[in-house]
Amino acid sequence: MLQIKQLTITHKKDLRRIAQDLSFTLNPGDKAAIIGEEGNGKSTLLKLIYDEVLVEDYAEYTGEIIKNNEIPGYLAQELTPSEKEMSVYEFLAREPAFFDMDVKELARLTRRLGISLELLYGQQPMKTLSGGEKIKVQMVRMLSRRPTVFLLDEPSNDIDIETLEWLEEFINGCSEPVLYISHDEVLLEHTANMVIHLEQVKRKTQPRYTVQRTDYKTYVNQRNLGLERQEQLAKKERSEYEKQQERFRKIQQKVERQQNAISRQDPHGGRLLKKKMHAVKALEHRFERENAELTELPDTEDAIFFKLAPENRIPNGKRVLEFYLEELTVDGGMPEESSDLSADRKYGKNSDLPADRKPEKNIGPSALRILAKHIELQVTGPEKICIIGKNGVGKTTLLRKIAEQLLERRDLKAAYMPQNYEDLLELSKTPAEFLSVTGDREEETRIRTYLGSMKYTAEEMRHPIGELSGGQKSKLLLLKMSMSGANVLILDEPTRNFSPLSNPVIREHLKNFGGAVISISHDRKFMGEVCDKVYWLDEQGLHRKSVCGD
């Protein structure tokens, strides 16, 4: 059992509270989904529960985290810079429990995850893996600990449909408690039996939380109905109060006129009017008390406001893309300079492993690996297409090549959102500096207005981009695209870091966008609601699939 008691988390830099008096208990069989908008401290909460050292540079806390001898397994949203430089084997070797798993157990796990056993003992750098492959390798390392409670930060990011289905089965079949963050609404609907909703209300100055033991869809429906009823009741009460106030003002004005008009020769009438005015004042005080007791209008953290310019359209018959690639290849080996490391440095203290558990050395220059052949793709007019496929098949590599071609076109205005945000973001700049083109005051005002619509606080606008959450970084790229006037959007996992409450807004605007969208996604709602065509990528090329991506 994991217990959180009166937990308050404060951001050191701007002293903003990202959680206050948070309390909940996780019992065996609980599948607790943490939801909330970007930057609300969801990842910080998971890190803090796992190991407070992970947040000590930027956050402090009060309250209790009672683990009761539980063994936590933690899956991070992002690898650290040093982890990215490690080979797969070095990354796994950092967990001593990895060597307690026998080969048969590892083979079963890798087969179910859709990766090769050889990958675990290879020297491929972690940074060269696809997003989904990184998640799967992390899952192997985490599961080797045999945790008694699971802490999963965006486990559904970047994994293919098959692995998503495995993840759903894994969470549902877990007898241990699972506390997880996910932006995949289908995953949440299929797995969660408890919801922890972190919010920032009153213009992101006050944290609020809700803990409800119910499934995700029921929580959202009940919350929306409750907010709707509260708003209707609050508006009705205010309407009635205004009518009451209008009647009171007429009485007050009548008594005041009578007081002004009464003759000093009529003291009896003056005394009566004075008593009447006392009664009017008492009535005013009563109304003030009643006003304080009126039902409050709902104070909620609304989903982001996002808009794509309607004039950025593409005519129905225009050929947006005619793409052909004979072979899709990637660098298939370990960098040459890594091959001369000693066994102790390369394999750590476990370099005396038996031969069948040691990775093979990669000698000589790396070779090109063919991922797929004879790739053809045509996009016409304002089509919205999605490319899916197994992790590691080359989807991101393919989309990058498509982006290179489209970004050079002069008859189109293309914009690219990569899976790795750092490919485009300058982490030392603030959000306003990154978006600025001219640097004049009018542009700065407009940018701050746009950032406010994307739920950035004034403090967050001044933070370096490197300190922002993954969701805040994705909002920044999305805003850059919307300001660019692009009529072709090239999107690699566009919804992966947005909250499940903001994703419907993103999908609606992309669906109604008058330009073309070429995307990679494993988001089943995105495929079903936004995309006209879905293509499956494998070794033989691209194949048309049904829109739902099954």
Side-chain angles (χ1 to χ4, degrees):
M1 182 170 67
L2 177 70
Q3 292 178 286
I4 307 299
K5 291 186 175 181
Q6 301 293 305
L7 187 65
T8 296
I9 308 172
T10 304
H11 200 288
K12 287 182 177 180
K13 186 167 185 176
D14 53 26
L15 301 181
R16 181 170 65 93
R17 288 188 175 179
I18 52 181
Q20 184 169 343
D21 297 329
L22 173 63
S23 297
F24 62 87
T25 300
L26 284 184
N27 297 307
D30 283 343
K31 283 81 174 165
I34 307 174
I35 66 169
E37 291 301 314
E38 298 76 23
N40 279 9
K42 301 184 296 295
S43 293
T44 298
L45 174 60
L46 276 191
K47 290 176 183 177
L48 182 58
I49 293 172
Y50 179 67
D51 184 355
E52 62 185 69
V53 172
L54 297 177
V55 304
E56 64 182 5
D57 289 342
Y58 69 90
E60 56 190 9
Y61 78 99
T62 59
E64 294 182 86
I65 301 171
I66 305 171
K67 298 182 183 178
N68 294 309
N69 297 316
E70 298 281 6
I71 302 171
Y74 172 62
L75 189 146
Q77 184 182 135
E78 294 182 359
L79 298 174
T80 65
S82 62
E83 287 174 335
K84 290 176 182 177
E85 298 302 321
M86 294 177 187
S87 71
V88 174
Y89 183 77
E90 287 171 328
F91 176 79
L92 292 169
R94 290 298 180 97
E95 175 51 66
F98 171 69
F99 300 103
D100 296 331
M101 298 182 78
D102 62 43
V103 175
K104 288 184 179 179
E105 186 179 7
L106 281 172
R108 284 195 299 270
L109 179 57
T110 53
R111 190 162 52 248
R112 192 65 187 88
L113 285 171
I115 55 177
S116 68
L117 183 61
E118 290 75 17
L119 175 66
L120 305 186
Y121 297 103
Q123 291 303 295
Q124 185 173 354
M126 289 292 292
K127 65 183 179 183
T128 66
L129 298 180
S130 71
E133 287 172 324
K134 288 173 186 162
I135 293 287
K136 293 173 181 181
V137 171
Q138 287 185 81
M139 287 288 290
V140 171
R141 188 169 86 165
M142 179 191 65
L143 289 169
S144 71
R145 288 173 56 87
R146 291 176 169 78
T148 59
V149 58
F150 290 90
L151 309 172
L152 312 178
D153 194 349
E154 293 292 353
S156 53
N157 268 7
D158 307 321
I159 59 178
D160 54 43
I161 301 295
E162 288 183 6
T163 313
L164 265 174
E165 292 170 350
W166 173 86
L167 181 63
E168 289 178 4
E169 292 175 10
F170 171 79
I171 293 174
N172 285 327
C174 236
S175 57
E176 299 83 5
V178 183
L179 181 63
Y180 63 107
I181 301 166
S182 179
H183 298 155
D184 189 309
E185 293 158 79
V186 176
L187 178 77
L188 293 172
E189 291 170 0
H190 289 178
T191 57
N193 59 19
M194 179 178 174
V195 176
I196 300 169
H197 188 177
L198 303 182
E199 296 182 88
Q200 293 282 327
V201 296
K202 299 188 183 303
R203 297 187 178 181
K204 298 192 80 169
T205 62
Q206 181 177 315
R208 183 173 70 190
Y209 77 91
T210 304
V211 176
Q212 195 165 320
R213 289 187 172 275
T214 187
D215 64 90
Y216 175 75
K217 187 177 284 189
T218 298
Y219 171 75
V220 172
N221 290 339
Q222 288 179 348
R223 178 176 183 270
N224 290 340
L225 287 172
L227 291 173
E228 187 178 336
R229 284 195 295 266
Q230 182 182 346
E231 183 176 12
Q232 289 175 349
L233 180 59
K235 287 181 177 179
K236 181 180 178 183
E237 288 179 357
R238 277 159 177 74
S239 176
E240 292 174 351
Y241 178 78
E242 284 301 319
K243 292 176 183 176
Q244 192 180 52
Q245 282 289 294
E246 183 62 28
R247 291 194 295 269
F248 167 74
R249 282 192 290 269
K250 288 179 179 178
I251 294 172
Q252 188 179 39
Q253 290 168 1
K254 182 178 179 181
V255 173
E256 288 174 349
R257 282 197 303 269
Q258 289 174 340
Q259 275 190 322
N260 293 333
I262 195 166
S263 169
R264 291 185 178 180
Q265 281 73 35
D266 186 7
H268 178 69
R271 286 194 296 273
L272 287 176
L273 283 176
K274 192 173 183 181
K275 287 182 179 180
K276 201 169 185 180
M277 181 55 76
H278 279 308
V280 168
K281 290 294 183 185
L283 188 62
E284 183 178 25
H285 292 320
R286 195 189 89 191
F287 286 160
E288 287 175 354
R289 290 194 300 273
E290 289 178 355
N291 184 40
E293 296 171 1
L294 291 176
T295 301
E296 291 186 2
L297 284 164
D299 185 359
T300 61
E301 184 179 44
D302 297 326
I304 63 171
F305 175 79
F306 167 64
K307 188 175 182 180
L308 291 165
E311 62 270 17
N312 299 334
R313 308 185 66 85
I314 288 183
N316 286 337
K318 183 174 179 61
R319 181 59 58 90
V320 173
L321 180 69
E322 190 157 351
F323 183 87
Y324 178 78
L325 189 65
E326 182 69 28
E327 290 182 342
L328 180 65
T329 60
V330 292
D331 186 346
M334 182 72 179
E336 192 172 0
E337 60 270 23
S338 300
S339 62
D340 60 356
L341 292 176
S342 69
D344 285 343
R345 288 180 61 200
K346 205 168 190 180
Y347 309 138
K349 64 180 181 180
N350 298 292
S351 59
D352 57 346
L353 287 169
D356 65 341
R357 297 297 299 272
K358 280 189 179 181
E360 294 181 3
K361 292 185 180 181
N362 187 12
I363 301 173
S366 58
L368 289 178
R369 181 162 59 97
I370 298 174
L371 298 174
K373 293 184 176 183
H374 310 302
I375 298 171
E376 294 184 71
L377 180 63
Q378 289 84 37
V379 179
T380 304
E383 284 187 324
K384 294 162 181 65
I385 73 138
C386 182
I387 299 170
I388 64 173
K390 292 186 176 182
N391 291 130
V393 75
K395 300 184 297 296
T396 291
T397 303
L398 173 60
L399 194 70
R400 194 179 295 121
K401 290 183 178 296
I402 291 171
E404 288 171 0
Q405 185 180 116
L406 288 172
L407 290 169
E408 292 177 354
R409 293 269 293 273
R410 294 291 175 263
D411 59 326
L412 299 169
K413 177 69 173 176
Y416 175 44
M417 181 178 183
Q419 186 182 113
N420 181 10
Y421 304 143
E422 295 179 13
D423 289 349
L424 294 183
L425 293 174
E426 298 175 70
L427 301 184
S428 61
K429 287 188 173 183
T430 66
E433 289 170 341
F434 173 73
L435 294 172
S436 177
V437 176
T438 65
D440 61 43
R441 187 175 295 276
E442 182 180 343
E443 182 195 54
E444 182 181 352
T445 301
R446 187 168 66 253
I447 286 172
R448 290 187 176 277
T449 301
Y450 290 153
L451 287 169
S453 73
M454 298 292 266
K455 305 304 177 188
Y456 279 84
T457 65
E459 291 80 10
E460 288 167 344
M461 294 180 197
R462 293 192 288 268
H463 284 186
I465 294 171
E467 295 181 8
L468 300 178
S469 70
Q472 290 167 309
K473 291 174 184 174
S474 60
K475 286 194 292 188
L476 194 56
L477 284 175
L478 205 60
L479 184 53
K480 183 84 168 179
M481 295 176 81
S482 71
M483 293 174 63
S484 73
N487 55 12
V488 179
L489 304 182
I490 308 157
L491 310 174
D492 196 342
E493 295 285 358
T495 61
R496 62 195 284 261
N497 275 314
F498 288 105
S499 85
L501 303 176
S502 285
N503 265 327
V505 178
I506 304 295
R507 293 196 299 269
E508 182 67 20
H509 284 287
L510 288 175
K511 177 184 176 180
N512 296 324
F513 177 50
V517 176
I518 303 170
S519 63
I520 295 170
S521 182
H522 300 126
D523 183 335
R524 289 159 284 186
K525 285 188 180 288
F526 175 85
M527 282 186 268
E529 295 178 18
V530 175
C531 302
D532 306 311
K533 296 177 181 177
V534 175
Y535 292 90
W536 174 270
L537 177 65
D538 60 21
E539 295 85 349
Q540 281 73 50
L542 285 171
H543 315 279
R544 179 77 180 272
K545 301 284 285 185
S546 64
V547 170
C548 63
D550 53 77

